[in-house]
Amino acid sequence: ELVDVQRSSSILAWETALEASVAAVAGNAGVSFLAQHCFGYNLEEAKKTFREEGSDATNAHALGMAMVLTAIPPWFLCFLCYLVLHWAYRRDKKRLARCSSSISSSRSSSDLPHV
């Protein structure tokens, strides 16, 4: 409704590409950084535990917390952006209707014969 039909597919493609690129780069790097530097994930201990087929609750907790911090805040940010879009969509739709009505009225007045 707000975008030209011919451009809607490319706009959606750009949005999806940007979202996936940021998620792939920032998500992977963010989980590993947070797990190791903020929550105490020990890679050497994880390798040793993996070889012994055991489990390490400390590393599991560190990895879980890092995943929570890389998932919840971005989704909350998305929620806030979509909340703003609900407000902006109505405003943009009204503005588009005003612009299109003024364009159609100027076209109809220019179609009148000049006397």
Side-chain angles (χ1 to χ4, degrees), residues 31-43:
V31 168
S32 62
F33 177 81
L34 288 171
Q36 289 180 358
H37 298 290
C38 296
F39 296 110
Y41 185 87
N42 186 338
L43 188 58

Side-chain angles (χ1 to χ4, degrees), residues 23-59:
V25 173
N28 290 334
V31 168
S32 62
F33 177 81
L34 288 171
Q36 289 180 358
H37 298 290
C38 296
F39 296 110
Y41 185 87
N42 186 338
L43 188 58
E44 294 304 318
E45 185 67 30
K47 288 178 186 177
K48 185 175 109 179
T49 304
F50 179 73
R51 277 186 238 123
E52 296 171 0
E53 295 184 17
S55 65
D56 183 8
T58 305
N59 276 348

Side-chain angles (χ1 to χ4, degrees), residues 89-108:
Y89 176 75
R90 281 181 273 177
R91 192 193 74 191
D92 289 344
K93 193 172 177 183
K94 289 177 185 176
R95 185 170 42 186
L96 184 64
R98 281 194 308 261
C99 288
S100 63
S101 67
S102 68
I103 289 172
S104 64
S105 67
S106 67
R107 284 184 184 163
S108 64

Side-chain angles (χ1 to χ4, degrees), residues 5-91:
V5 175
Q6 295 174 345
R7 294 185 178 193
S8 62
S9 296
S10 62
I11 290 171
L12 185 58
W14 274 105
E15 186 273 332
T16 304
L18 181 63
E19 178 184 347
S21 299
V22 170
V25 173
N28 290 334
V31 168
S32 62
F33 177 81
L34 288 171
Q36 289 180 358
H37 298 290
C38 296
F39 296 110
Y41 185 87
N42 186 338
L43 188 58
E44 294 304 318
E45 185 67 30
K47 288 178 186 177
K48 185 175 109 179
T49 304
F50 179 73
R51 277 186 238 123
E52 296 171 0
E53 295 184 17
S55 65
D56 183 8
T58 305
N59 276 348
H61 182 263
L63 192 56
M65 290 302 296
M67 290 179 74
V68 164
L69 282 181
T70 57
I72 302 296
W75 275 112
F76 184 71
L77 183 64
C78 286
F79 171 74
L80 293 177
C81 290
Y82 283 123
L83 198 64
V84 170
L85 282 177
H86 281 285
W87 168 78
Y89 176 75
R90 281 181 273 177
R91 192 193 74 191

